[in-house]
Amino acid sequence: MHENSSAHPLAFGIDIGGSGIKGAPVDLATGELAAERRRIKTPSTSTPQAVAEVLSELVDSFDLPADVPVGVAFPAPIDHGVVRFIANLDKSWKGVDLPELVHDATGRRCTAVNDADAAGVGEQRYGAAKGVDGVVLVATLGTGIGSALIVDGVLVPNTELGHLEIDGHDAESRAADSAREREDLSWEKWAQRLQRYFETVEMLLSPELIVVGGGVSKNHEKFLPLLHLRAQIIPATLRNAAGIVGAAALAASERPLHA
Ligand code: BGC
């Protein structure tokens, strides 16, 4: 059992990914995790029911007051809580109402958002994009490529820029971190693909700042210096916790989709 000793408001953030499901209570005053994060492997058959069981186990392993809300970051576009399409989990997620599923599994109030949007909100409120005006792109490099577009501090949700078609390919199939691992690419080879990806995004959107998150951002010095873009490109301050933190922040906000 993990206990919260701080008096600050809390929300519980969960980040559902292709390989792991991670959760922690978040101190909303500071954006810091209020207890150590717990990670459970994503079930190999990642159906809504199998994932719901993991969510219930995850939330129950923390000692949280009953009124602490849950924010879920999910790897798909989310339209009023409903999964629109799904690239990297079981196809039966399409059409599922996530807040309803999570409420049934945990008994708690839940807000669901796209995982990259959650990371974007985390970085905008507490991290690398804090106080930055203009167009900011937060890109997460993991099983897929996620994107969050933030304009003068306001999130434009569900941008799905990982699925741009570049050189005849779905961009994330070539440039996500999973492609680097799957094809055993060197950092240099992978950086060439990222260069092609980010220069296309830059041509379309002219961001001032690009923030790169996802687990691989802990190795940012291996690939970010190899990229040459007009925009400044920097690692996410919250690293891989950005999704948890952003989802928790949104769970506690009155207008969840505005950062
Ligand atoms: C999904 C996005 C998600 C991204 C990162 C993509 O395949 O379509 O919704 O943000 O992967 O998980």
Side-chain angles (χ1 to χ4, degrees):
M1 284 279 181
H2 304 249
E3 290 192 7
N4 169 44
S5 51
S6 116
H8 294 157
L10 283 184
F12 193 81
I14 298 178
D15 194 354
I16 299 178
S19 55
I21 300 177
K22 295 157 285 181
V26 176
D27 178 331
L28 297 173
T30 62
E32 282 164 14
L33 303 189
E36 202 180 318
R37 178 179 82 159
R38 181 158 181 227
R39 179 182 193 275
I40 300 178
K41 239 168 108 11
T42 306
S44 50
T45 306
S46 53
T47 55
Q49 200 193 352
V51 169
E53 280 169 25
V54 172
L55 300 183
S56 151
E57 182 190 337
L58 191 59
V59 173
D60 283 353
S61 63
F62 291 83
D63 183 22
L64 299 169
D67 60 349
V68 169
V70 173
V72 171
F74 193 79
I78 306 293
D79 187 1
H80 297 90
V82 176
V83 177
R84 261 199 7 241
F85 68 79
I86 180 86
N88 295 313
L89 288 179
D90 195 83
K91 298 297 173 225
S92 59
W93 276 98
K94 185 173 154 54
V96 167
D97 184 319
L98 258 167
E100 196 177 289
L101 179 97
V102 177
H103 181 263
D104 289 350
T106 67
R108 289 171 190 272
R109 188 160 59 79
C110 168
T111 300
V113 281
N114 170 261
D115 56 358
D117 284 346
V121 169
E123 290 295 324
Q124 196 270 333
R125 295 213 182 159
Y126 307 103
K130 190 171 176 184
V132 181
D133 283 336
V135 177
V136 176
L137 178 79
V138 177
T140 60
L141 305 175
T143 307
I145 295 182
S147 60
L149 188 67
I150 299 163
V151 184
D152 289 339
V154 178
L155 175 72
V156 181
N158 294 322
T159 44
E160 291 298 321
L161 298 177
H163 296 298
L164 282 175
E165 187 179 316
I166 302 179
D167 303 329
H169 299 276
D170 185 30
E172 71 175 24
S173 71
R174 309 252 313 149
D177 191 43
S178 59
R180 180 185 67 83
E181 288 179 338
R182 192 174 54 242
E183 298 180 44
D184 200 15
L185 300 176
S186 64
W187 293 108
E188 289 73 18
K189 275 262 174 277
W190 187 51
Q192 286 170 12
R193 295 188 183 183
L194 289 177
Q195 173 71 26
R196 181 83 185 104
Y197 177 68
F198 283 118
E199 73 193 15
T200 304
V201 171
E202 183 164 67
M203 181 271 287
L204 293 169
L205 295 171
S206 301
E208 315 268 339
L209 174 68
I210 301 174
V211 178
V212 176
V216 72
S217 63
K218 64 175 181 293
N219 292 315
H220 61 91
E221 75 293 341
K222 299 251 177 30
F223 61 96
L224 287 189
L226 305 178
L227 302 181
H228 302 288
L229 299 160
R230 194 191 49 80
Q232 195 192 357
I233 183 162
I234 59 174
T237 314
L238 308 179
R239 300 282 192 269
N240 217 10
I244 293 177
V245 172
L250 288 168
S253 88
E254 307 242 310
R255 300 173 68 212
L257 281 181
H258 293 82

